Every structure is written in structure tokens, then in C-alpha cells.
Amino acid sequence: MTSFDTSPQLNAWRALLALAVVFVMLATTGWTALHTHRESTALQASLAKWEHGSIHGLRLPDPQAAPSLLGRFFASLSPEDQSRVARRYPLAVGNMNGAPVALRYRANHIALEQQRRVEKKRMHDSRLSAAGQQDAVRRMHRYEDLTSPGRQILAFDPEGSGRIAEVFGNLDTAQRITVVVPGVDTDLLTFQRTNREYTAPVGMAKALYAAERAQSPATRTAVIAWADYTAPDGLGVDAATGLRAEEGAVRLNALLGGLPGRAPVTTVCHSYGSVVCGVAAHAMPRRVTDIAVAASPGMRVSSASHLDTKARVWAMRDSSDWIQDVPYLELGGLGHGADPVSPAFGARVLSAGDAQGHAGYFQPGTESLRNLADVAVGAYDEVSCAREDDLCRAGVSGTTPAGRA
């Protein structure tokens, strides 16, 4: 969350200024100014190749088919044939909901290695500017990191700023699954950080995975760091509207609908990621039992009941988070609606007492991280409510048995 992690007063003014800029842009250029994202050409090329491909003389299924149908297709293949299609169509298979998880990891490893070689050549391309060559260096190093032994890349798209998702734990055997949905300034290069590790999706997911295992050692868990949508680039038009969230919600629900097994799922949504989860909520599969948001600018509704979901809705915000100073409103498509931690919204409000700032909710040892882990493993009796009346635990008790929806 690089663009948001400065002083509260400055960011509040920037948020107000951004809204004003949006009004001007809409008045002068119209809504079409918001539709500038390019299609992911490398991925589309791989999908097109798949659509015209075959194996043993038989046409391959529609890559947009239901995950259950695609799952049956892959199950009908021998291990050798599965490896063959992964090598022929790595980006297509690596991003295909319904393909076996281990095969997706293998296909994305191949695709990442291919892109690493592309960037290695670009590093020395004299036609590029110095900045272009430096970008190639950064991407090559990122691809090297992502192909390290043990990494489980569930989705990968190199186009533009890049999209990526990584799994921690065993997704096939998990009894509880958590999906971390990050906010603005999230892309391939900001997916992980060495400094301030827990402000980036990989650090968030790793910290949550460790906290879940500490809370419930007997429960098999898996956590997905999901940066597989085009997030807004800082404060501006995209961050002030829900268009990126609408695009992201479609992709998020496609992921949720294609997860293996029947384990209950929790979405943990940070900052603009909570806008994505709010837009996606009404269409989430029933196995999504909990939606937890932290540092939310709003979920594009006026109350939790308007999310139209049977999932429990949890919210938290620490007292030092500047996001509390932004306008909680929605006007003509601008802004993201009511404050999820306000009593009128109706979410179960969790304590985040020792988190620091807008990006501090996943820091190990914090109450905010412990609360998110408690929700994720179903240990509802263990959560700490933000208010003394403990209403956040109303109607839920005990620990949901692992593997039950």
C-alpha cells in the first residue's frame, strides 16, 4: 500500500482532491476515461492457442467452461498428457479454474521461466531507455524469486503491471481456506517486499497462515495471496470509483467458484480490496462463510445487509489509520458508501487495538492479525470485539468444525 502509507492529514486532503479531479474528468471526458485497461495479450494468445488445440485428435474444451467440467477433462488425462498440455499452453492452464492445483503450479512455473528469459534479453536491449532496462531487471529478479523451489503460483499474467496469486499450505487438503484480497498499488512488482514485509500480499498471507496454524494447530489451512486483479494505481480516478472493483469481483468469484474441495472459505480484504469483496459478495459461493475487511474505504453499500450474502461480515480499523478521515459516501458513482465499522452498518466489529497505521493489520503479534486468524479458522469465541458490549460475537459460538460449511 505504498501510495496510502503517508501522513493521515495529507492523505485525507489527497482523497478529497482526487474526488474533485474525478468530477472534472467526468465533466470533460465522460466515463470512457475509466476504460483504459489493455487486454492481457500473452494470456489471450495462450488461450487462443488452446481453443484451436487438440490432444490425441480430440478438441480441447472451452477454457471458459465451468470448473467442474474442466476438472473432469483434466481427470480424464494421464499424468503424461497433463504435463503435455501444461507445456504447450502454460499461461492458459496456469490460469484455468478447474485445472488441478498442482498442474497450475507447474504450468505457471513454465510461464514464469519463459518470461524470465524474455526480461533477461530486454535487460540488454539497446532500443530501451535506461528506465526500460531497469524495469526489465526488476521483473527478471521477480520472476527468479517466483520460480524458487517450494513456491506455489496459482495464477500469473505478465501483461501490463502484472497479476499474480500464490498459495501457502496445501489447497487440496485444506479444511479452511483464506483468500487475502489486497488494495491499491498491488501488482507483480509490489506483490512482495523485503522491507515492511507485512504490507505486501505475500507477507500478509504468510503472516495470516502462521497465525492460523498457531490458533488451531490441528486444522489444515491454506491461504491465498490473491493479486490477480488490476488494482488502482494510487489515489485517483480508479481508486475513487468501483470500476476496478467490478472487474476484480468477477475474477475473485471465478477463483472462489473453482477452488478444490468443500472447505469453508474466508475472504480477508484490505483497503480497496474490501471494495472488491463488497461488490463480489452477492455472487460468492455459499462455501464463503466469512468476509472480513480491514482499513476499508467502504463496500459500496449502505449496510451489511445490502451485501446480499449469508456470509458473516466482520470489520476492523485501528485508531491511527488515516482511512477514517476519508468521506464515507457514494455520489454519482464516486466514493464507496458507508463506513463498515460504524454501528449503523451492521458488521461485526473486531478490535485492531495494537495495529499501527493503514498497512499494519498483518504485523505478527498484533491483535488485528490474531482476530483475522480466529475468524479464518472459525474460532469465533476467541475474537476480541472493538466495543465492550461484545456484539461482534452475537449469534456465533464455539469453533466451526473443520471442513464443515
PDB file of all heavy atoms in Angstrom, residues 105-139:
ATOM      1  N   TYR A 105       0.341 -24.982 -10.716  1.00  0.00           N
ATOM      2  CA  TYR A 105       1.645 -24.569 -10.210  1.00  0.00           C
ATOM      3  C   TYR A 105       2.729 -24.869 -11.249  1.00  0.00           C
ATOM      4  O   TYR A 105       3.608 -24.039 -11.515  1.00  0.00           O
ATOM      5  CB  TYR A 105       1.993 -25.318  -8.924  1.00  0.00           C
ATOM      6  CG  TYR A 105       1.058 -25.099  -7.754  1.00  0.00           C
ATOM      7  CD1 TYR A 105       1.021 -26.018  -6.708  1.00  0.00           C
ATOM      8  CD2 TYR A 105       0.233 -23.979  -7.672  1.00  0.00           C
ATOM      9  CE1 TYR A 105       0.193 -25.841  -5.619  1.00  0.00           C
ATOM     10  CE2 TYR A 105      -0.608 -23.788  -6.590  1.00  0.00           C
ATOM     11  CZ  TYR A 105      -0.633 -24.730  -5.560  1.00  0.00           C
ATOM     12  OH  TYR A 105      -1.466 -24.557  -4.490  1.00  0.00           O
ATOM     13  N   ARG A 106       2.684 -26.069 -11.836  1.00  0.00           N
ATOM     14  CA  ARG A 106       3.696 -26.479 -12.811  1.00  0.00           C
ATOM     15  C   ARG A 106       3.627 -25.612 -14.062  1.00  0.00           C
ATOM     16  O   ARG A 106       4.656 -25.159 -14.586  1.00  0.00           O
ATOM     17  CB  ARG A 106       3.479 -27.944 -13.180  1.00  0.00           C
ATOM     18  CG  ARG A 106       4.698 -28.624 -13.801  1.00  0.00           C
ATOM     19  CD  ARG A 106       4.393 -30.074 -14.164  1.00  0.00           C
ATOM     20  NE  ARG A 106       3.572 -30.740 -13.152  1.00  0.00           N
ATOM     21  CZ  ARG A 106       2.881 -31.845 -13.380  1.00  0.00           C
ATOM     22  NH1 ARG A 106       2.869 -32.386 -14.593  1.00  0.00           N
ATOM     23  NH2 ARG A 106       2.177 -32.401 -12.413  1.00  0.00           N
ATOM     24  N   ALA A 107       2.420 -25.341 -14.546  1.00  0.00           N
ATOM     25  CA  ALA A 107       2.257 -24.529 -15.755  1.00  0.00           C
ATOM     26  C   ALA A 107       2.750 -23.103 -15.520  1.00  0.00           C
ATOM     27  O   ALA A 107       3.424 -22.514 -16.383  1.00  0.00           O
ATOM     28  CB  ALA A 107       0.784 -24.523 -16.176  1.00  0.00           C
ATOM     29  N   ASN A 108       2.436 -22.542 -14.363  1.00  0.00           N
ATOM     30  CA  ASN A 108       2.879 -21.180 -14.086  1.00  0.00           C
ATOM     31  C   ASN A 108       4.390 -21.108 -13.892  1.00  0.00           C
ATOM     32  O   ASN A 108       5.012 -20.088 -14.216  1.00  0.00           O
ATOM     33  CB  ASN A 108       2.145 -20.631 -12.859  1.00  0.00           C
ATOM     34  CG  ASN A 108       0.729 -20.211 -13.201  1.00  0.00           C
ATOM     35  OD1 ASN A 108       0.484 -19.618 -14.244  1.00  0.00           O
ATOM     36  ND2 ASN A 108      -0.223 -20.517 -12.334  1.00  0.00           N
ATOM     37  N   HIS A 109       4.992 -22.162 -13.373  1.00  0.00           N
ATOM     38  CA  HIS A 109       6.450 -22.198 -13.278  1.00  0.00           C
ATOM     39  C   HIS A 109       7.058 -22.114 -14.679  1.00  0.00           C
ATOM     40  O   HIS A 109       8.033 -21.374 -14.905  1.00  0.00           O
ATOM     41  CB  HIS A 109       6.897 -23.482 -12.574  1.00  0.00           C
ATOM     42  CG  HIS A 109       8.375 -23.550 -12.331  1.00  0.00           C
ATOM     43  ND1 HIS A 109       8.961 -23.068 -11.178  1.00  0.00           N
ATOM     44  CD2 HIS A 109       9.399 -24.019 -13.104  1.00  0.00           C
ATOM     45  CE1 HIS A 109      10.270 -23.248 -11.240  1.00  0.00           C
ATOM     46  NE2 HIS A 109      10.559 -23.820 -12.412  1.00  0.00           N
ATOM     47  N   ILE A 110       6.474 -22.858 -15.609  1.00  0.00           N
ATOM     48  CA  ILE A 110       6.953 -22.808 -17.000  1.00  0.00           C
ATOM     49  C   ILE A 110       6.780 -21.405 -17.577  1.00  0.00           C
ATOM     50  O   ILE A 110       7.698 -20.854 -18.213  1.00  0.00           O
ATOM     51  CB  ILE A 110       6.199 -23.843 -17.862  1.00  0.00           C
ATOM     52  CG1 ILE A 110       6.536 -25.264 -17.398  1.00  0.00           C
ATOM     53  CG2 ILE A 110       6.528 -23.661 -19.345  1.00  0.00           C
ATOM     54  CD1 ILE A 110       5.638 -26.328 -18.004  1.00  0.00           C
ATOM     55  N   ALA A 111       5.596 -20.817 -17.378  1.00  0.00           N
ATOM     56  CA  ALA A 111       5.333 -19.478 -17.911  1.00  0.00           C
ATOM     57  C   ALA A 111       6.264 -18.436 -17.294  1.00  0.00           C
ATOM     58  O   ALA A 111       6.753 -17.533 -17.992  1.00  0.00           O
ATOM     59  CB  ALA A 111       3.873 -19.104 -17.653  1.00  0.00           C
ATOM     60  N   LEU A 112       6.530 -18.559 -16.000  1.00  0.00           N
ATOM     61  CA  LEU A 112       7.440 -17.619 -15.336  1.00  0.00           C
ATOM     62  C   LEU A 112       8.866 -17.760 -15.865  1.00  0.00           C
ATOM     63  O   LEU A 112       9.565 -16.756 -16.060  1.00  0.00           O
ATOM     64  CB  LEU A 112       7.408 -17.851 -13.820  1.00  0.00           C
ATOM     65  CG  LEU A 112       6.175 -17.308 -13.095  1.00  0.00           C
ATOM     66  CD1 LEU A 112       5.989 -18.003 -11.753  1.00  0.00           C
ATOM     67  CD2 LEU A 112       6.301 -15.789 -12.895  1.00  0.00           C
ATOM     68  N   GLU A 113       9.289 -18.992 -16.092  1.00  0.00           N
ATOM     69  CA  GLU A 113      10.626 -19.195 -16.664  1.00  0.00           C
ATOM     70  C   GLU A 113      10.721 -18.590 -18.058  1.00  0.00           C
ATOM     71  O   GLU A 113      11.738 -17.978 -18.422  1.00  0.00           O
ATOM     72  CB  GLU A 113      10.947 -20.693 -16.721  1.00  0.00           C
ATOM     73  CG  GLU A 113      11.395 -21.284 -15.404  1.00  0.00           C
ATOM     74  CD  GLU A 113      12.812 -20.862 -15.042  1.00  0.00           C
ATOM     75  OE1 GLU A 113      13.455 -20.133 -15.833  1.00  0.00           O
ATOM     76  OE2 GLU A 113      13.282 -21.242 -13.960  1.00  0.00           O
ATOM     77  N   GLN A 114       9.662 -18.730 -18.861  1.00  0.00           N
ATOM     78  CA  GLN A 114       9.661 -18.132 -20.186  1.00  0.00           C
ATOM     79  C   GLN A 114       9.771 -16.616 -20.105  1.00  0.00           C
ATOM     80  O   GLN A 114      10.529 -15.985 -20.850  1.00  0.00           O
ATOM     81  CB  GLN A 114       8.392 -18.542 -20.934  1.00  0.00           C
ATOM     82  CG  GLN A 114       8.332 -20.010 -21.313  1.00  0.00           C
ATOM     83  CD  GLN A 114       7.004 -20.410 -21.948  1.00  0.00           C
ATOM     84  OE1 GLN A 114       6.020 -19.665 -21.888  1.00  0.00           O
ATOM     85  NE2 GLN A 114       6.968 -21.590 -22.554  1.00  0.00           N
ATOM     86  N   GLN A 115       9.015 -16.020 -19.193  1.00  0.00           N
ATOM     87  CA  GLN A 115       9.059 -14.570 -19.052  1.00  0.00           C
ATOM     88  C   GLN A 115      10.387 -14.099 -18.478  1.00  0.00           C
ATOM     89  O   GLN A 115      10.867 -13.012 -18.819  1.00  0.00           O
ATOM     90  CB  GLN A 115       7.897 -14.111 -18.165  1.00  0.00           C
ATOM     91  CG  GLN A 115       6.534 -14.247 -18.825  1.00  0.00           C
ATOM     92  CD  GLN A 115       6.434 -13.432 -20.102  1.00  0.00           C
ATOM     93  OE1 GLN A 115       6.830 -12.267 -20.151  1.00  0.00           O
ATOM     94  NE2 GLN A 115       5.898 -14.047 -21.152  1.00  0.00           N
ATOM     95  N   ARG A 116      11.001 -14.904 -17.604  1.00  0.00           N
ATOM     96  CA  ARG A 116      12.320 -14.543 -17.076  1.00  0.00           C
ATOM     97  C   ARG A 116      13.329 -14.422 -18.206  1.00  0.00           C
ATOM     98  O   ARG A 116      14.141 -13.482 -18.243  1.00  0.00           O
ATOM     99  CB  ARG A 116      12.780 -15.585 -16.058  1.00  0.00           C
ATOM    100  CG  ARG A 116      14.115 -15.247 -15.388  1.00  0.00           C
ATOM    101  CD  ARG A 116      14.628 -16.410 -14.555  1.00  0.00           C
ATOM    102  NE  ARG A 116      14.951 -17.558 -15.397  1.00  0.00           N
ATOM    103  CZ  ARG A 116      16.087 -17.683 -16.092  1.00  0.00           C
ATOM    104  NH1 ARG A 116      16.993 -16.710 -16.060  1.00  0.00           N
ATOM    105  NH2 ARG A 116      16.302 -18.753 -16.828  1.00  0.00           N
ATOM    106  N   ARG A 117      13.268 -15.366 -19.157  1.00  0.00           N
ATOM    107  CA  ARG A 117      14.191 -15.311 -20.294  1.00  0.00           C
ATOM    108  C   ARG A 117      13.920 -14.090 -21.177  1.00  0.00           C
ATOM    109  O   ARG A 117      14.853 -13.464 -21.696  1.00  0.00           O
ATOM    110  CB  ARG A 117      14.099 -16.605 -21.102  1.00  0.00           C
ATOM    111  CG  ARG A 117      14.645 -17.821 -20.360  1.00  0.00           C
ATOM    112  CD  ARG A 117      14.814 -19.015 -21.296  1.00  0.00           C
ATOM    113  NE  ARG A 117      13.542 -19.564 -21.723  1.00  0.00           N
ATOM    114  CZ  ARG A 117      12.899 -20.523 -21.086  1.00  0.00           C
ATOM    115  NH1 ARG A 117      13.389 -21.035 -19.962  1.00  0.00           N
ATOM    116  NH2 ARG A 117      11.747 -20.996 -21.554  1.00  0.00           N
ATOM    117  N   VAL A 118      12.643 -13.752 -21.337  1.00  0.00           N
ATOM    118  CA  VAL A 118      12.289 -12.564 -22.120  1.00  0.00           C
ATOM    119  C   VAL A 118      12.883 -11.312 -21.479  1.00  0.00           C
ATOM    120  O   VAL A 118      13.491 -10.467 -22.156  1.00  0.00           O
ATOM    121  CB  VAL A 118      10.754 -12.428 -22.231  1.00  0.00           C
ATOM    122  CG1 VAL A 118      10.372 -11.051 -22.790  1.00  0.00           C
ATOM    123  CG2 VAL A 118      10.183 -13.529 -23.118  1.00  0.00           C
ATOM    124  N   GLU A 119      12.727 -11.192 -20.163  1.00  0.00           N
ATOM    125  CA  GLU A 119      13.227  -9.989 -19.483  1.00  0.00           C
ATOM    126  C   GLU A 119      14.751  -9.963 -19.452  1.00  0.00           C
ATOM    127  O   GLU A 119      15.349  -8.881 -19.486  1.00  0.00           O
ATOM    128  CB  GLU A 119      12.665  -9.935 -18.055  1.00  0.00           C
ATOM    129  CG  GLU A 119      11.154  -9.807 -17.981  1.00  0.00           C
ATOM    130  CD  GLU A 119      10.610  -8.583 -18.704  1.00  0.00           C
ATOM    131  OE1 GLU A 119      11.330  -7.559 -18.797  1.00  0.00           O
ATOM    132  OE2 GLU A 119       9.468  -8.643 -19.182  1.00  0.00           O
ATOM    133  N   LYS A 120      15.389 -11.118 -19.399  1.00  0.00           N
ATOM    134  CA  LYS A 120      16.852 -11.156 -19.412  1.00  0.00           C
ATOM    135  C   LYS A 120      17.387 -10.584 -20.724  1.00  0.00           C
ATOM    136  O   LYS A 120      18.407  -9.873 -20.743  1.00  0.00           O
ATOM    137  CB  LYS A 120      17.342 -12.585 -19.208  1.00  0.00           C
ATOM    138  CG  LYS A 120      18.838 -12.690 -18.976  1.00  0.00           C
ATOM    139  CD  LYS A 120      19.241 -14.095 -18.574  1.00  0.00           C
ATOM    140  CE  LYS A 120      20.728 -14.156 -18.273  1.00  0.00           C
ATOM    141  NZ  LYS A 120      21.153 -15.524 -17.827  1.00  0.00           N
ATOM    142  N   LYS A 121      16.688 -10.874 -21.825  1.00  0.00           N
ATOM    143  CA  LYS A 121      17.083 -10.296 -23.112  1.00  0.00           C
ATOM    144  C   LYS A 121      16.815  -8.793 -23.145  1.00  0.00           C
ATOM    145  O   LYS A 121      17.623  -8.015 -23.666  1.00  0.00           O
ATOM    146  CB  LYS A 121      16.328 -10.987 -24.243  1.00  0.00           C
ATOM    147  CG  LYS A 121      16.758 -12.426 -24.501  1.00  0.00           C
ATOM    148  CD  LYS A 121      15.981 -13.026 -25.661  1.00  0.00           C
ATOM    149  CE  LYS A 121      16.410 -14.453 -25.937  1.00  0.00           C
ATOM    150  NZ  LYS A 121      15.639 -15.071 -27.062  1.00  0.00           N
ATOM    151  N   ARG A 122      15.670  -8.390 -22.571  1.00  0.00           N
ATOM    152  CA  ARG A 122      15.323  -6.967 -22.585  1.00  0.00           C
ATOM    153  C   ARG A 122      16.305  -6.133 -21.776  1.00  0.00           C
ATOM    154  O   ARG A 122      16.502  -4.950 -22.059  1.00  0.00           O
ATOM    155  CB  ARG A 122      13.903  -6.766 -22.031  1.00  0.00           C
ATOM    156  CG  ARG A 122      12.806  -7.304 -22.932  1.00  0.00           C
ATOM    157  CD  ARG A 122      11.432  -7.037 -22.345  1.00  0.00           C
ATOM    158  NE  ARG A 122      11.111  -5.617 -22.363  1.00  0.00           N
ATOM    159  CZ  ARG A 122      10.867  -4.881 -21.279  1.00  0.00           C
ATOM    160  NH1 ARG A 122      10.926  -5.416 -20.076  1.00  0.00           N
ATOM    161  NH2 ARG A 122      10.568  -3.610 -21.396  1.00  0.00           N
ATOM    162  N   MET A 123      16.909  -6.728 -20.768  1.00  0.00           N
ATOM    163  CA  MET A 123      17.887  -6.006 -19.949  1.00  0.00           C
ATOM    164  C   MET A 123      18.998  -5.390 -20.799  1.00  0.00           C
ATOM    165  O   MET A 123      19.542  -4.337 -20.457  1.00  0.00           O
ATOM    166  CB  MET A 123      18.517  -6.958 -18.926  1.00  0.00           C
ATOM    167  CG  MET A 123      17.633  -7.334 -17.769  1.00  0.00           C
ATOM    168  SD  MET A 123      18.350  -8.706 -16.814  1.00  0.00           S
ATOM    169  CE  MET A 123      20.031  -8.146 -16.557  1.00  0.00           C
ATOM    170  N   HIS A 124      19.333  -6.058 -21.899  1.00  0.00           N
ATOM    171  CA  HIS A 124      20.461  -5.614 -22.733  1.00  0.00           C
ATOM    172  C   HIS A 124      19.992  -5.087 -24.083  1.00  0.00           C
ATOM    173  O   HIS A 124      20.805  -4.952 -25.001  1.00  0.00           O
ATOM    174  CB  HIS A 124      21.428  -6.782 -22.923  1.00  0.00           C
ATOM    175  CG  HIS A 124      21.869  -7.415 -21.639  1.00  0.00           C
ATOM    176  ND1 HIS A 124      22.697  -6.784 -20.743  1.00  0.00           N
ATOM    177  CD2 HIS A 124      21.546  -8.628 -21.087  1.00  0.00           C
ATOM    178  CE1 HIS A 124      22.903  -7.572 -19.703  1.00  0.00           C
ATOM    179  NE2 HIS A 124      22.217  -8.698 -19.881  1.00  0.00           N
ATOM    180  N   ASP A 125      18.721  -4.773 -24.191  1.00  0.00           N
ATOM    181  CA  ASP A 125      18.168  -4.270 -25.444  1.00  0.00           C
ATOM    182  C   ASP A 125      18.485  -2.775 -25.559  1.00  0.00           C
ATOM    183  O   ASP A 125      17.959  -1.956 -24.800  1.00  0.00           O
ATOM    184  CB  ASP A 125      16.654  -4.507 -25.476  1.00  0.00           C
ATOM    185  CG  ASP A 125      16.041  -4.211 -26.838  1.00  0.00           C
ATOM    186  OD1 ASP A 125      16.658  -3.458 -27.622  1.00  0.00           O
ATOM    187  OD2 ASP A 125      14.929  -4.713 -27.108  1.00  0.00           O
ATOM    188  N   SER A 126      19.347  -2.431 -26.513  1.00  0.00           N
ATOM    189  CA  SER A 126      19.784  -1.034 -26.663  1.00  0.00           C
ATOM    190  C   SER A 126      18.662  -0.113 -27.124  1.00  0.00           C
ATOM    191  O   SER A 126      18.777   1.112 -27.023  1.00  0.00           O
ATOM    192  CB  SER A 126      20.946  -0.968 -27.658  1.00  0.00           C
ATOM    193  OG  SER A 126      20.538  -1.458 -28.933  1.00  0.00           O
ATOM    194  N   ARG A 127      17.578  -0.693 -27.622  1.00  0.00           N
ATOM    195  CA  ARG A 127      16.451   0.134 -28.050  1.00  0.00           C
ATOM    196  C   ARG A 127      15.649   0.672 -26.868  1.00  0.00           C
ATOM    197  O   ARG A 127      14.865   1.609 -27.020  1.00  0.00           O
ATOM    198  CB  ARG A 127      15.535  -0.669 -28.967  1.00  0.00           C
ATOM    199  CG  ARG A 127      16.182  -1.074 -30.289  1.00  0.00           C
ATOM    200  CD  ARG A 127      15.324  -2.073 -31.028  1.00  0.00           C
ATOM    201  NE  ARG A 127      15.172  -3.316 -30.280  1.00  0.00           N
ATOM    202  CZ  ARG A 127      14.440  -4.346 -30.679  1.00  0.00           C
ATOM    203  NH1 ARG A 127      13.781  -4.270 -31.830  1.00  0.00           N
ATOM    204  NH2 ARG A 127      14.356  -5.449 -29.944  1.00  0.00           N
ATOM    205  N   LEU A 128      15.841   0.073 -25.683  1.00  0.00           N
ATOM    206  CA  LEU A 128      15.118   0.510 -24.500  1.00  0.00           C
ATOM    207  C   LEU A 128      15.847   1.668 -23.830  1.00  0.00           C
ATOM    208  O   LEU A 128      17.082   1.773 -23.889  1.00  0.00           O
ATOM    209  CB  LEU A 128      14.979  -0.640 -23.500  1.00  0.00           C
ATOM    210  CG  LEU A 128      14.098  -1.825 -23.905  1.00  0.00           C
ATOM    211  CD1 LEU A 128      14.122  -2.873 -22.797  1.00  0.00           C
ATOM    212  CD2 LEU A 128      12.680  -1.378 -24.185  1.00  0.00           C
ATOM    213  N   SER A 129      15.079   2.512 -23.175  1.00  0.00           N
ATOM    214  CA  SER A 129      15.679   3.567 -22.359  1.00  0.00           C
ATOM    215  C   SER A 129      16.305   2.937 -21.124  1.00  0.00           C
ATOM    216  O   SER A 129      16.094   1.753 -20.822  1.00  0.00           O
ATOM    217  CB  SER A 129      14.610   4.575 -21.937  1.00  0.00           C
ATOM    218  OG  SER A 129      13.664   3.955 -21.066  1.00  0.00           O
ATOM    219  N   ALA A 130      17.070   3.728 -20.397  1.00  0.00           N
ATOM    220  CA  ALA A 130      17.670   3.234 -19.154  1.00  0.00           C
ATOM    221  C   ALA A 130      16.588   2.787 -18.178  1.00  0.00           C
ATOM    222  O   ALA A 130      16.739   1.769 -17.489  1.00  0.00           O
ATOM    223  CB  ALA A 130      18.535   4.323 -18.524  1.00  0.00           C
ATOM    224  N   ALA A 131      15.476   3.543 -18.151  1.00  0.00           N
ATOM    225  CA  ALA A 131      14.368   3.182 -17.268  1.00  0.00           C
ATOM    226  C   ALA A 131      13.735   1.859 -17.706  1.00  0.00           C
ATOM    227  O   ALA A 131      13.368   1.025 -16.867  1.00  0.00           O
ATOM    228  CB  ALA A 131      13.321   4.291 -17.242  1.00  0.00           C
ATOM    229  N   GLY A 132      13.617   1.667 -19.024  1.00  0.00           N
ATOM    230  CA  GLY A 132      13.060   0.424 -19.541  1.00  0.00           C
ATOM    231  C   GLY A 132      13.927  -0.776 -19.212  1.00  0.00           C
ATOM    232  O   GLY A 132      13.427  -1.848 -18.863  1.00  0.00           O
ATOM    233  N   GLN A 133      15.244  -0.596 -19.327  1.00  0.00           N
ATOM    234  CA  GLN A 133      16.158  -1.680 -18.977  1.00  0.00           C
ATOM    235  C   GLN A 133      16.112  -1.983 -17.487  1.00  0.00           C
ATOM    236  O   GLN A 133      16.158  -3.150 -17.086  1.00  0.00           O
ATOM    237  CB  GLN A 133      17.580  -1.311 -19.407  1.00  0.00           C
ATOM    238  CG  GLN A 133      17.779  -1.279 -20.918  1.00  0.00           C
ATOM    239  CD  GLN A 133      19.175  -0.844 -21.305  1.00  0.00           C
ATOM    240  OE1 GLN A 133      19.855  -0.147 -20.554  1.00  0.00           O
ATOM    241  NE2 GLN A 133      19.618  -1.249 -22.491  1.00  0.00           N
ATOM    242  N   GLN A 134      15.976  -0.943 -16.668  1.00  0.00           N
ATOM    243  CA  GLN A 134      15.889  -1.162 -15.227  1.00  0.00           C
ATOM    244  C   GLN A 134      14.601  -1.899 -14.862  1.00  0.00           C
ATOM    245  O   GLN A 134      14.600  -2.761 -13.982  1.00  0.00           O
ATOM    246  CB  GLN A 134      15.950   0.180 -14.483  1.00  0.00           C
ATOM    247  CG  GLN A 134      15.946   0.059 -12.960  1.00  0.00           C
ATOM    248  CD  GLN A 134      17.130  -0.737 -12.441  1.00  0.00           C
ATOM    249  OE1 GLN A 134      18.229  -0.687 -13.011  1.00  0.00           O
ATOM    250  NE2 GLN A 134      16.925  -1.483 -11.372  1.00  0.00           N
ATOM    251  N   ASP A 135      13.521  -1.575 -15.566  1.00  0.00           N
ATOM    252  CA  ASP A 135      12.265  -2.291 -15.340  1.00  0.00           C
ATOM    253  C   ASP A 135      12.429  -3.769 -15.683  1.00  0.00           C
ATOM    254  O   ASP A 135      11.918  -4.648 -14.971  1.00  0.00           O
ATOM    255  CB  ASP A 135      11.150  -1.678 -16.183  1.00  0.00           C
ATOM    256  CG  ASP A 135       9.824  -2.405 -16.008  1.00  0.00           C
ATOM    257  OD1 ASP A 135       9.219  -2.304 -14.923  1.00  0.00           O
ATOM    258  OD2 ASP A 135       9.388  -3.091 -16.955  1.00  0.00           O
ATOM    259  N   ALA A 136      13.151  -4.048 -16.757  1.00  0.00           N
ATOM    260  CA  ALA A 136      13.409  -5.438 -17.145  1.00  0.00           C
ATOM    261  C   ALA A 136      14.215  -6.161 -16.075  1.00  0.00           C
ATOM    262  O   ALA A 136      13.962  -7.336 -15.770  1.00  0.00           O
ATOM    263  CB  ALA A 136      14.133  -5.482 -18.487  1.00  0.00           C
ATOM    264  N   VAL A 137      15.181  -5.474 -15.487  1.00  0.00           N
ATOM    265  CA  VAL A 137      15.977  -6.070 -14.405  1.00  0.00           C
ATOM    266  C   VAL A 137      15.085  -6.425 -13.222  1.00  0.00           C
ATOM    267  O   VAL A 137      15.176  -7.534 -12.665  1.00  0.00           O
ATOM    268  CB  VAL A 137      17.097  -5.106 -13.963  1.00  0.00           C
ATOM    269  CG1 VAL A 137      17.782  -5.622 -12.693  1.00  0.00           C
ATOM    270  CG2 VAL A 137      18.126  -4.926 -15.070  1.00  0.00           C
ATOM    271  N   ARG A 138      14.225  -5.497 -12.839  1.00  0.00           N
ATOM    272  CA  ARG A 138      13.350  -5.742 -11.686  1.00  0.00           C
ATOM    273  C   ARG A 138      12.404  -6.913 -11.961  1.00  0.00           C
ATOM    274  O   ARG A 138      12.197  -7.774 -11.097  1.00  0.00           O
ATOM    275  CB  ARG A 138      12.539  -4.486 -11.366  1.00  0.00           C
ATOM    276  CG  ARG A 138      13.372  -3.297 -10.883  1.00  0.00           C
ATOM    277  CD  ARG A 138      12.492  -2.084 -10.677  1.00  0.00           C
ATOM    278  NE  ARG A 138      11.535  -2.295  -9.603  1.00  0.00           N
ATOM    279  CZ  ARG A 138      10.388  -1.625  -9.477  1.00  0.00           C
ATOM    280  NH1 ARG A 138      10.055  -0.726 -10.399  1.00  0.00           N
ATOM    281  NH2 ARG A 138       9.587  -1.859  -8.474  1.00  0.00           N
ATOM    282  N   ARG A 139      11.854  -6.961 -13.156  1.00  0.00           N
ATOM    283  CA  ARG A 139      10.946  -8.056 -13.488  1.00  0.00           C
ATOM    284  C   ARG A 139      11.688  -9.397 -13.530  1.00  0.00           C
ATOM    285  O   ARG A 139      11.169 -10.409 -13.056  1.00  0.00           O
ATOM    286  CB  ARG A 139      10.250  -7.781 -14.822  1.00  0.00           C
ATOM    287  CG  ARG A 139       9.119  -6.756 -14.718  1.00  0.00           C
ATOM    288  CD  ARG A 139       8.496  -6.455 -16.065  1.00  0.00           C
ATOM    289  NE  ARG A 139       7.312  -5.616 -15.906  1.00  0.00           N
ATOM    290  CZ  ARG A 139       6.068  -6.062 -15.926  1.00  0.00           C
ATOM    291  NH1 ARG A 139       5.823  -7.347 -16.105  1.00  0.00           N
ATOM    292  NH2 ARG A 139       5.056  -5.237 -15.773  1.00  0.00           N
TER     293      ARG A 139
END
